Amino acid sequence: MSDAQPAPHMAGGDLGPLEGRGKETLLEGLWYNNPIAVQVLGICPALAVTNKLSTSAVMAAAVFFVMTGTTTIVSSMRRIIPQRVRLMTQMAIISTLVILVDYYLKAFHFEISRQLGPYVALIITNCTILGRAEGFGLQNNVPLSALDGVSNALGYASVLLVLGATRELLGSGTLLGATVLHESWYEPNHLMILAPGAFIALGFLVAAYKAIKGPEEEEEDTP
Amino acid sequence: MPNSAYTIIFSAIVGILCASVLAGWGSFTRSYREANRKAERVRNIMRVLGVSYPEKASARELLDVFNEKLEEREADGLTYYAYTGAEDGTPIAVPFRGSGVWGPIKAVLALESDQRTIRGIAFYEQEETPGLGAKIATTGFTSKFKGKRIAPDNGRPGEAGMTITPPNQAGGPREVDGISGATMTSDRVEKMLNDIIENIVAKVNGNV
């Protein structure tokens, strides 16, 4: 796991509950080490449900709940989890949270759950979440781990929302179902709501991200 | 080894905790989830038949309206729904399914009281190609079926059936325009439609 290393610039000074690493932790997931843009993790749902902004938003919210919940719970249990069953424990926690969300959507937001199909349940296999639990939650205190969960979930969500908005706009000419680009002058590009469009849009998004972030020496030991 | 014992006990507790949380939440939401599933089916049937129901109706309200105005009937193994509360005779709706290009297609066909004229049709579950075959779910496609006939007057089983023609070529009462660029979906829809039409003509029409 490459993401467990402390970042270069420690804030230092008096150590609160966040050990002076609050801002850095928040920015890591949100920007410098964004789960999708940098690590290219968890892209299955990022590609599958982003053909509409509404489904992207619900998926983002579901991942937020599961990710934050998981890092918090795993961190609070980090001293009592036996080394040998730590992955099983993390998976049990993730699965439980995901099924809670899945049932919630099926019971109270049926229409959107129908549109998301199996992808809510598939959050269980979103490696970003297990990655944060294993790489961060197990080693850090509860407030910091919760913040790490929030940060990565927001980082993940922002990519999902941008992808969802772009693909819906270009692919259907609408945003949240409301017509933005009228068919009289804009011919919707159906490619954008199909799977290949997802890959193309994600590629452009990652390229744009790298362009904004600027060049950097590639020293990460990508697994 | 005490260490193993701890690991086992720990795992058991985690398992039991997770299972109880899920069991609790599962049974709390069960009635909602089931009502939603049923309501979804019922909503499609009522929409195709043109039964009026409150737009924002909850799952339970939908089921109430359904039970009040419709009647489930069976003809020789074919389940269909009679709109007994209708003002213009007794239209019927028949759910049917078939296989599309990428996955199953679920649909409902509604017929007027003469059981020959199409009142409405809906393809409410499908995984056809977005932008092409998936247009079967839009009213742009389904509205073309309204008023069409599933069989010639006094036709017998075997003579019934409809044709989905290439785009802009449908003329006859038993022809419907297909979707441009979605020939495979159109073909499959035609096949599943004719299967159910044959079934209806053979089983339901005889019992009028």
Side-chain angles (χ1 to χ4, degrees):
Chain A
M1 296 276 166
S2 61
D3 42 54
Q5 302 150 358
H9 302 294
M10 306 280 274
D14 59 330
L15 305 175
L18 298 178
E19 299 171 359
R21 291 165 55 202
K23 193 179 166 198
E24 159 216 321
T25 304
L26 190 63
L27 289 179
E28 270 294 287
L30 209 51
W31 185 251
Y32 295 110
N33 214 2
N34 186 287
I36 300 180
V38 177
Q39 307 179 53
V40 200
L41 288 179
I43 64 164
C44 166
L47 297 171
V49 304
T50 52
N51 53 1
K52 275 198 298 190
L53 186 54
S54 57
T55 47
S56 312
V58 173
M59 177 53 99
V63 170
F64 184 91
F65 172 77
V66 176
M67 177 101 79
T68 313
T70 305
T71 50
T72 310
I73 296 172
V74 166
S75 169
S76 66
M77 291 168 69
R78 71 190 185 283
R79 292 191 211 289
I80 57 168
I81 299 178
Q83 181 68 10
R84 273 185 293 170
V85 292
R86 67 181 202 287
L87 284 172
M88 180 217 83
T89 310
Q90 290 166 29
M91 283 315 297
I93 293 167
I94 294 171
S95 315
T96 306
L97 292 175
V98 168
I99 297 171
L100 289 184
V101 175
D102 194 31
Y103 279 3
Y104 171 77
L105 290 177
K106 282 199 171 116
F108 304 112
H109 298 281
F110 184 72
E111 187 52 34
I112 202 90
S113 118
R114 216 168 56 86
Q115 291 173 20
L116 284 168
Y119 291 101
V120 173
L122 282 174
I123 297 176
I124 294 176
T125 62
N126 188 325
C127 38
T128 316
I129 297 171
L130 184 63
R132 293 327 292 174
E134 173 82 5
F136 199 96
L138 275 181
Q139 277 109 45
N140 292 281
N141 68 26
V142 178
L144 202 55
S145 300
L147 186 65
D148 182 73
V150 169
S151 148
N152 277 278
L154 289 180
Y156 194 81
S158 57
V159 176
L160 244 56
L161 293 178
V162 172
L163 267 184
T166 316
R167 291 182 63 198
E168 185 178 344
L169 196 60
L170 298 178
S172 319
T174 60
L175 266 186
L176 291 173
T179 306
V180 179
L181 306 175
H182 200 267
E183 289 209 20
S184 57
W185 56 274
Y186 180 77
E187 175 69 32
N189 182 354
H190 296 309
L191 178 67
M192 292 309 291
I193 48 176
L194 296 172
F199 281 97
I200 293 169
L202 183 64
F204 275 110
L205 190 79
V206 173
Y209 168 86
K210 297 221 159 161
I212 297 170
K213 201 175 156 204
E216 55 169 334
E217 60 271 45
E218 295 283 333
E219 28 112 51
E220 290 156 50
D221 48 330
T222 14
Chain B
M1 260 195 333
N3 207 359
S4 304
Y6 175 73
T7 303
I8 290 168
I9 293 169
F10 177 87
S11 309
I13 291 175
V14 168
I16 291 166
L17 273 181
C18 290
S20 352
V21 168
L22 287 184
W25 185 239
S27 59
F28 173 71
T29 55
R30 175 168 299 126
S31 62
Y32 295 93
R33 283 183 284 129
E34 276 171 6
N36 281 336
R37 247 201 319 272
K38 262 190 222 140
E40 176 67 14
R41 189 179 151 76
V42 159
R43 177 183 284 123
N44 288 308
I45 292 171
M46 296 207 294
R47 189 178 288 154
V48 172
L49 278 171
V51 182
S52 65
Y53 58 89
E55 197 49 51
K56 290 272 170 202
S58 70
R60 264 150 238 236
E61 286 162 355
L62 274 180
L63 290 171
D64 284 346
V65 176
F66 183 80
N67 290 333
E68 185 192 324
K69 295 191 178 165
L70 284 90
E71 198 182 288
E72 183 176 322
R73 293 185 186 167
E74 211 196 280
D76 209 1
L78 178 73
T79 304
Y80 65 100
Y81 299 88
Y83 182 10
T84 48
E87 282 158 12
D88 47 348
T90 314
I92 61 166
V94 193
F96 63 112
R97 59 199 305 169
S99 50
V101 177
W102 304 117
I105 297 177
K106 288 189 192 168
V108 186
L109 175 67
L111 299 174
E112 302 287 1
S113 309
D114 66 356
Q115 304 189 344
R116 288 288 158 91
T117 310
I118 294 183
R119 186 181 173 95
I121 192 167
F123 301 91
Y124 62 91
E125 216 175 290
Q126 47 87 16
E127 299 165 29
E128 300 311 288
T129 318
L132 297 173
K135 282 190 183 153
I136 56 169
T138 62
T139 46
F141 180 65
T142 54
S143 61
K144 291 178 188 160
F145 284 86
K146 201 167 163 41
K148 299 282 179 181
R149 312 269 292 163
I150 61 168
D153 300 333
N154 308 318
R156 277 178 291 277
E159 296 168 6
M162 302 184 68
T163 314
I164 297 189
T165 65
N168 304 320
Q169 288 183 17
R174 295 195 285 133
E175 293 177 356
V176 173
D177 279 324
I179 295 166
S180 172
T183 315
M184 300 234 290
T185 298
S186 300
D187 287 351
R188 280 156 204 252
V189 165
E190 180 182 285
K191 182 179 182 316
M192 67 187 266
L193 189 62
N194 283 332
D195 285 349
I196 192 69
I197 286 175
E198 206 161 298
N199 234 335
I200 293 171
V201 172
K203 292 173 178 171
V204 184
N205 286 27
N207 305 349
V208 178

